[in-house]
Amino acid sequence: MAIDDRPKPDIPESTPVEGGAIQRPGVWAALRPLLLRLHFYAGVLIAPFLLVAATSGLLYSLSFQAEKVIYAHELEVPVGDSALPLSEQVAAARKAHPEGTVTAVWPAPAADRSTRVLMSTPKVPDDRELAVFVNPYDAEVRGELTSYGSSGALPLRTWLDELHRDLHLGDVGRNYSELAASWLWVVALGGLALWFGRRRARRRDLVVPAKGQSKGRARTLSWHGTVGLWAALGLIALSATGLTWSNYAGANIDTLKSQLGGATPVPDATLAGGAASGGGHEGHEGHGGHGGAHEGADIGIDRALEIARSQGVDGQVSVILPVDGQGYVVKETDAEFPVHLDSVAIDPAGGQVLDTVAFADYPLLAKLTRVGIDAHMGVFLGLANQLALAALMLATVLLIVWGYRMWWLRRPTQGRALSFGRPMARGAWRKVPLPMVLPLAAVTALVGWFVPLLGISLLVFLAADVLLGLVARRRSRAQ
């Protein structure tokens, strides 16, 4: 038998050995029952939230390629001889939508792609922009769609993104995704520890499903453990990056990043007498430009783009138009590896460079955050990133299904028509030596404070477990 799946007897606090000496159980023997009980409760009670997050995440990861097909008319154009000046393309968008205010322009990123002119307009919510797609060769307006975020998500991807983030329930719905992200790393790390701690006859059974297993819980456990092992690192990364967008843990993460000097730098586009500029949250930055329109001398978007390219800000870019007190900001938007995210601020009056920010000069923490968030959003490595996300989400769905199946197979089969699988016996924490209990409790309290929904839900689990234990004890006494 490749994996010893027989129930392990509880290890007593001390075991007599030959000669009368007392052998204390090892650290793992003391922690294993506690980890099993925690993994069981987290798997059973948090898995529904994880299942929704994984299913919606799977659909989101596939939406990038779906957008290219669904919105092909807006995104693609026949290749022409030479592109018109960017100012003429913007003028065509303004003519088609005179009610809108242009906030940013994305010049065509390839010869067969359209230029995207972003507008604020009463037709779309404040957190959205109207993207007008213009043929760069003849200034034909090919259509308009609602756009969201720095990645330019179009309606399909935006809808799936909101489903994944908050179930279209707003701030209340965001609690579901924060709860899932808060527990995902705990479940993944706990599962890793339990999988590595099992006895097995062959080392290969650690990394591939064991052969020769009979159908049932042992076989399901083998698949659950090996797939979980391969997926664990990705799931932990998704949990960490997902928490940066959360309401409560996200605020603590932002504060910690600022204290460690890891805030993402943005070019200072402030003009003389203007208000200081700032950036948005990584991955969901706005484009600015929603204030009063810039008045006075203006070198124009074509000249601003020319100056930016002379500063090395080239390739796929976004040009944020000046507003009252702020100049042009031209920034690279190619997040695929190797990333090109340099940016420059330009005075609209005389074309002077106000500030430059190179990705190479980002603090290390800011670089890691940027790459991690882009990978979570599926843009860091393009199609490969999206396929990896899809594989991770599918693996998560399978892990949950296998976990529930093992729970079902653990149920008592005699005495009751309907019953459920049983967790490890209560009191597992009593087997942990006191010198380990106190630091473990302190770390748990600290993590629970930093990740509030994890701490609150853990307290709820403990309270419910104590209550169920008291009820069970009274029933046993009554019998």
Side-chain angles (χ1 to χ4, degrees):
M1 190 173 183
I3 298 178
D4 182 1
D5 193 51
R6 293 168 297 182
K8 310 298 188 297
D10 289 340
I11 300 175
E13 294 185 1
S14 59
T15 305
V17 297
E18 185 177 356
I22 299 298
Q23 180 181 348
R24 296 288 179 181
V27 173
W28 174 243
L31 286 178
R32 183 177 179 273
L34 185 62
L35 274 177
L36 275 171
R37 191 165 180 82
L38 177 64
H39 194 70
F40 173 86
Y41 271 120
V44 170
L45 301 177
I46 301 298
F49 299 96
L50 292 173
L51 183 61
V52 173
T55 304
S56 58
L58 174 61
L59 295 174
Y60 173 82
S61 66
L62 302 176
S63 67
F64 289 85
Q65 303 307 314
E67 279 190 340
K68 295 179 181 179
V69 176
I70 296 173
Y71 307 121
H73 177 74
E74 290 83 2
L75 296 171
E76 299 178 4
V77 298
V79 178
D81 295 330
S82 60
L84 297 172
L86 197 57
S87 56
E88 293 186 27
Q89 301 175 48
V90 174
R94 282 195 172 111
K95 183 178 179 180
H97 293 276
E99 81 287 353
T101 301
V102 178
T103 58
V105 180
W106 295 10
D112 63 345
R113 295 291 172 174
S114 59
T115 292
R116 193 178 302 197
V117 180
L118 300 176
M119 292 182 165
S120 62
T121 169
K123 295 182 178 180
V124 298
D126 290 341
D127 62 342
R128 305 285 193 273
E129 290 172 299
L130 184 68
V132 182
F133 298 87
V134 181
N135 187 326
Y137 301 105
D138 59 10
E140 172 200 6
V141 174
R142 298 184 62 83
E144 55 278 326
L145 295 167
T146 303
S147 176
Y148 172 69
S150 62
S151 65
L154 298 178
L156 173 64
R157 183 150 53 100
T158 299
W159 191 90
L160 291 173
D161 175 52
E162 291 179 338
L163 177 68
H164 178 67
R165 185 173 68 248
D166 59 21
L167 302 177
H168 296 281
L169 297 175
D171 286 340
V172 173
R174 290 181 66 183
N175 291 326
Y176 116 84
S177 58
E178 181 167 358
L179 185 65
S182 298
W183 276 96
L184 180 57
W185 66 274
V186 177
V187 175
L189 286 177
L192 275 181
L194 292 170
W195 187 242
F196 276 105
R198 292 192 66 82
R199 298 194 298 269
R200 48 182 53 84
R202 297 185 301 267
R203 289 185 179 180
R204 69 181 298 276
D205 295 336
L206 177 70
V207 295
V208 295
K211 294 182 179 180
Q213 293 281 10
S214 59
K215 293 182 179 179
R217 186 174 178 275
R219 186 174 180 179
T220 304
L221 176 61
S222 180
W223 278 95
H224 181 87
T226 52
V227 172
L229 173 67
W230 287 105
L233 182 60
L235 295 179
I236 293 169
L238 286 178
S239 174
T241 52
L243 285 174
T244 64
W245 286 304
S246 61
N247 277 328
Y248 307 108
N252 291 334
I253 291 172
D254 286 341
T255 300
L256 180 62
K257 279 176 53 184
S258 298
Q259 292 175 347
L260 296 176
T264 300
V266 294
D268 186 0
T270 306
L271 303 175
S277 62
H281 193 288
E282 294 92 345
H284 291 289
E285 301 93 334
H287 291 288
H290 294 274
H294 171 69
E295 297 180 358
D298 190 345
I299 58 175
I301 191 171
D302 296 304
R303 178 59 182 154
L305 184 57
E306 181 183 344
I307 294 171
R309 297 197 188 284
S310 71
Q311 296 293 314
V313 180
D314 206 344
Q316 183 176 313
V317 300
S318 169
V319 183
I320 301 174
L321 271 61
V323 293
D324 187 23
Q326 302 287 312
Y328 284 98
V329 174
V330 184
K331 56 183 181 180
E332 295 174 333
T333 58
D334 184 6
E336 292 190 24
F337 182 81
V339 298
H340 297 93
L341 298 174
D342 298 349
S343 55
V344 59
I346 300 168
D347 188 332
Q352 295 87 359
V353 173
L354 300 173
D355 192 17
T356 59
V357 173
F359 182 74
D361 297 331
Y362 278 28
L364 177 60
L365 184 56
K367 287 181 179 177
L368 294 175
T369 301
R370 176 79 263 175
V371 170
I373 288 176
D374 286 340
H376 189 118
M377 295 174 64
V379 298
F380 175 53
L381 296 174
L383 179 60
N385 193 165
Q386 294 148 28
L387 292 176
L389 283 177
L392 269 177
M393 295 302 95
L394 181 59
T396 304
V397 171
L398 291 174
L399 289 169
I400 292 170
V401 171
W402 287 328
Y404 275 119
R405 185 170 189 269
M406 288 189 293
W407 180 41
W408 176 252
L409 293 174
R410 279 177 60 92
R411 75 193 191 283
T413 56
Q414 296 179 352
R416 285 179 288 178
L418 179 63
S419 58
F420 299 100
R422 294 166 296 186
M424 287 291 295
R426 290 184 177 86
W429 64 272
R430 297 190 185 96
K431 296 182 175 65
V432 183
L434 185 62
M436 290 178 58
V437 170
L438 296 180
L440 188 62
V443 171
T444 301
L446 179 62
V447 172
W449 169 81
F450 192 79
V451 187
L453 288 192
L454 173 64
I456 294 171
S457 57
L458 182 58
L459 288 175
V460 172
F461 289 173
L462 291 175
D465 194 41
V466 169
L467 180 61
L468 291 173
L470 292 175
V471 171
R473 187 176 300 176
R474 286 186 178 182
R475 286 180 178 175
S476 64
R477 288 177 179 176
Q479 294 174 355

